[in-house]
């Protein structure tokens, strides 16, 4: 049985968002990126606007000019906030001890991480301005309850819950119970 349906095309909005993100991260203007990739500025402008019909050659040239893998331009967008509840996530147990490890986040190549143990009490939220571009925060609640995350995407977390989100956008942390403690890992790429 043959299927004559053509393969689905990549959503142009994924490509547009990826191109804008990577061009901004590289600090390049539309003109400079177009020049480096050997394509017309109008073509790049259309792609960043979510229109046009990019072929693999054009996207490959843009990836090379940006210094990123091809997949960085065509991968589906990752959710901006990811929560793993206590007791969930991929686990591996020990054969010799009562010990279980849950992988919450693998470090991407070339990343730097700062680890903080934080204590907070109910009251005013800690409002944080955006950190350097590419910063990702990982938060694990130890005790109490915290509401955290980017503005408009906050989540309430309890002991053992894990959350990750972009740290290069405005975000906040608010203790919802006395004696709240959590571990915060700031990842910079």
């Amino acid at each position: 049985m043959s299927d004559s349906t053509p393969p689905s095309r990549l959503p142009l909005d994924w490509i547009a968002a990826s191109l804008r993100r990577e061009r901004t991260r590289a600090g390049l203007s539309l003109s400079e990126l177009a020049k480096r990739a050997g394509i017309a500025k109008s073509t790049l402008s259309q792609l960043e606007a979510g229109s046009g019909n990019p072929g693999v050659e054009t996207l490959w040239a843009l990836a090379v000019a940006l210094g990123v893998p091809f997949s960085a331009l065509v991968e589906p967008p990752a959710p901006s906030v990811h929560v793993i509840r206590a007791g969930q996530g991929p686990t591996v147990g020990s054969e010799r001890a009562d010990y279980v490890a849950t992988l919450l986040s693998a470090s991407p190549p070339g990343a730097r991480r700062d680890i903080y143990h934080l204590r907070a009490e109910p009251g005013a939220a800690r409002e944080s301005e955006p950190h350097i571009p590419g910063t990702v925060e990982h938060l694990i609640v130890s005790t109490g309850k915290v509401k955290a995350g980017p503005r408009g995407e906050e989540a309430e977390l309890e002991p053992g819950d894990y959350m990750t989100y972009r740290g290069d956008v405005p975000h906040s942390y608010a203790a919802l119970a006395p004696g709240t403690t959590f571990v915060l890992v700031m990842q910079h790429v």
Side-chain angles (χ1 to χ4, degrees):
M1 186 165 132
S2 72
D3 185 359
S4 61
T5 307
S8 62
R9 301 210 31 103
L10 290 169
L12 292 176
D13 56 332
W14 292 1
I15 294 169
S18 296
L19 280 170
R20 283 189 305 271
R21 178 191 69 233
E22 296 302 332
R23 183 176 61 79
T24 300
R25 189 174 290 157
L28 298 173
S29 66
L30 277 169
S31 297
E32 182 60 23
L33 178 56
K35 180 180 170 186
R36 289 183 184 189
I39 65 171
K41 180 181 172 184
S42 60
T43 299
L44 179 56
S45 180
Q46 286 177 343
L47 291 176
E48 284 199 10
S51 60
N53 189 15
V56 69
E57 297 81 6
T58 298
L59 292 174
W60 198 273
L62 287 164
V64 169
L66 288 164
V68 299
F70 178 79
S71 61
L73 300 181
V74 298
E75 282 181 313
S80 61
V81 175
H82 180 70
V83 175
I84 297 176
R85 298 289 177 196
Q88 297 179 350
T91 60
V92 178
S94 170
E95 296 173 358
R96 300 185 186 135
D98 187 4
Y99 178 91
V100 176
T102 302
L103 177 64
L104 301 177
S105 173
S107 179
R112 296 174 302 155
R113 289 191 169 168
D114 301 327
I115 302 173
Y116 301 90
H117 183 263
L118 300 159
R119 180 187 49 78
E121 296 295 330
R126 164 66 173 103
E127 300 289 335
S128 182
E129 292 301 314
H131 303 301
I132 61 173
T135 299
V136 175
E137 293 193 359
H138 304 266
L139 189 149
I140 305 163
V141 177
S142 303
T143 60
K145 188 174 183 179
V146 67
K147 182 177 182 179
R151 269 190 210 140
E153 296 183 87
E154 296 91 347
E156 291 186 10
L157 307 168
E158 297 182 352
D161 288 348
Y162 162 81
M163 175 184 199
T164 186
Y165 51 87
R166 291 179 52 191
D168 58 3
V169 297
H171 54 284
S172 65
Y173 323 91
L176 301 178
T180 295
T181 60
F182 54 97
V183 174
L184 178 69
V185 178
M186 291 180 64
Q187 172 184 302
H188 313 282
V189 289

